[in-house]
Amino acid sequence: RKEQELDSKDAIILHQFSRPKNGVPSLSPFCLKMETYLRMADLPYQNYFDGKLSPQGKMPWIEYNHKKVSGTEFIIDFLEEKLGVNLNKHLGPHERAVSRAVTKMVEEHFYWTLAYCQWVENLHETRKMVSLFGPFSDLLKWILCHLTKGIVKREMYGHGIGRFSEEEMYTLMEKDMRTLAGLLGDKKYIMGPNVSTVDATVFGHLAQAMWTLPGTRPERLIKGELINLAMYCERIRRKFWPEWHHDDDNTLYESEESSEASKTYSPLQDFSFYSRTETFDEEGNSISQTPDTDYTGHSLFDSDVDMDDYRDHDQCK
């Protein structure tokens, strides 16, 4: 098939994997991180699902004014320099240091335990979400998933974390998730009331546990004991992804009155340009029909939600 010609003059072209079938924007924490960052920074961009890796063999990567940049950290640095955006301008030196430490814990440690759960232990469910079309799509998906499984196991072994037993890896995963829950506490975002770059990173990874790993330990943990992480994911999803609707949404996070309204949604953005300003009014209020309240009537965008109410409600389910 002839490749589509792209003109990246004054336009951000985001190359990433195809959308999965379950309604989640991406099965890749880094692709979801990058696209969420662009929305948080309100930078218009265009998705391109060509499946082609960057010259460094990375995904995602961007083109801007015909320059190619890969690696989410380098992409963000590049956009900050070229476009003057900075989600961390409200952070002090100590907060910036903490933010980077959290980012590295998530991307260099927590990521691998998620990859194991997704591509090794839960491979059968993951294969159902992979989007491929054509007469041999089922065979291709089987081959792709098992190749990915082998790559993940090999790279985990080289990293070192793959040399532990499955139970030990899940112990490490739980420690990371509890660390994130403790750091978040009852705050709106990881570093306080305002969103910062680390939130794109944390959300990109926690969203996998929240929506792509049904019945697994990380899903049970985030939707059970670590409910503040689930609320955090919902808060970001509803604010920056108003068109993202999940058929298996847990009613714990929305009221009965809003459950029907949440069924109305727009498809996830593909090739058209996307800008968050098209979805929010001048005061930053969502104009979509996505609900922004939980079952108690509290706003999911507030940081003062009574966690005891959620624990009591969860016990009654």
Side-chain angles (χ1 to χ4, degrees):
R1 187 180 64 179
K2 184 178 180 180
E3 291 189 4
Q4 177 182 345
E5 293 295 330
L6 293 177
D7 184 7
S8 64
K9 179 175 174 54
D10 298 325
I12 300 172
I13 308 298
L14 176 62
H15 295 259
Q16 61 169 314
F17 297 115
S18 299
R19 302 284 195 210
K21 290 183 176 180
N22 65 334
V24 175
S26 181
L27 293 177
S28 164
F30 291 97
C31 289
L32 183 53
K33 167 195 174 178
M34 196 64 249
E35 192 168 1
T36 301
Y37 171 84
L38 292 172
R39 291 174 176 233
M40 288 178 171
D42 199 12
L43 294 175
Y45 65 94
Q46 184 178 13
N47 278 313
Y48 195 60
F49 303 107
D50 56 351
K52 183 179 179 181
L53 300 179
S54 73
Q56 293 82 11
K58 306 284 285 186
M59 188 74 90
W61 56 286
I62 69 163
E63 292 181 81
Y64 181 76
N65 282 339
H66 306 292
K67 182 175 177 58
K68 301 177 181 180
V69 186
S70 66
T72 55
E73 184 172 356
F74 291 114
I75 293 173
I76 292 172
D77 290 343
F78 173 81
L79 294 176
E80 287 181 352
E81 178 184 353
K82 295 295 183 181
L83 303 178
V85 297
N86 190 348
L87 294 181
N88 298 332
K89 59 185 177 181
H90 62 283
L91 301 181
H94 175 74
E95 292 173 314
R96 289 172 184 259
V98 171
S99 177
R100 178 166 176 78
V102 172
T103 296
K104 293 301 109 179
M105 179 195 76
V106 171
E107 294 185 345
E108 305 296 339
H109 194 265
F110 181 50
Y111 163 77
W112 290 109
T113 57
L114 281 175
Y116 175 84
C117 189
Q118 187 175 56
W119 294 103
V120 179
E121 187 193 29
N122 208 44
L123 183 64
H124 179 71
E125 292 296 326
T126 301
R127 188 173 59 176
K128 296 177 183 177
M129 304 176 195
V130 174
S131 180
L132 284 178
F133 302 96
F136 303 105
S137 60
D138 290 340
L139 175 61
L140 290 175
K141 282 195 293 185
W142 188 93
I143 295 173
L144 172 66
C145 289
H146 281 78
L147 283 174
T148 304
K149 175 182 177 180
I151 293 172
V152 167
K153 291 181 71 174
R154 184 177 69 248
E155 292 189 352
M156 288 183 68
Y157 189 85
H159 176 279
I161 196 171
R163 305 185 187 214
F164 297 113
S165 68
E166 179 179 297
E167 191 61 36
E168 288 171 328
M169 281 190 285
Y170 277 114
T171 297
L172 296 174
M173 170 187 280
E174 183 173 335
K175 286 184 177 181
D176 287 343
M177 293 182 70
R178 291 187 183 280
T179 297
L180 291 173
L183 181 63
L184 176 63
D186 60 356
K187 298 193 301 295
K188 191 173 182 179
Y189 299 113
I190 294 294
M191 301 308 297
N194 298 313
V195 71
S196 57
T197 303
V198 69
D199 291 297
T201 302
V202 174
F203 174 75
H205 288 73
L206 286 181
Q208 307 304 318
M210 185 82 174
W211 290 294
T212 73
L213 298 172
T216 61
R217 297 193 206 183
E219 186 201 49
R220 292 195 297 269
L221 193 59
I222 195 173
K223 293 183 178 179
E225 186 177 349
L226 305 182
I227 194 68
N228 66 327
L229 294 182
M231 294 168 58
Y232 168 80
C233 287
E234 283 287 352
R235 186 178 301 124
I236 292 179
R237 185 187 77 157
R238 296 181 185 192
K239 185 170 185 178
F240 298 104
W241 290 88
E243 79 279 28
W244 172 2
H245 174 84
H246 196 264
D247 292 336
D248 297 326
D249 279 346
N250 194 321
T251 55
L252 174 62
Y253 313 114
E254 61 186 11
S255 62
E256 294 180 1
E257 292 79 7
S258 64
S259 60
E260 289 301 320
S262 67
K263 301 302 181 183
T264 303
Y265 62 98
S266 303
L268 291 174
Q269 300 296 314
D270 288 342
F271 292 95
S272 59
F273 277 95
Y274 176 89
S275 176
R276 190 169 64 87
T277 53
E278 298 174 358
T279 318
F280 289 78
D281 61 24
E282 294 180 354
E283 297 179 357
N285 298 315
S286 173
I287 58 176
S288 70
Q289 294 184 328
T290 306
D292 63 355
T293 57
D294 59 26
Y295 80 97
T296 66
H298 291 99
S299 172
L300 284 167
F301 302 154
D302 293 338
S303 60
D304 57 352
V305 177
D306 189 348
M307 298 303 297
D308 290 334
D309 291 344
Y310 282 89
R311 294 189 183 97
D312 294 343
H313 178 73
D314 191 48
Q315 292 174 356
C316 294
K317 289 183 65 180

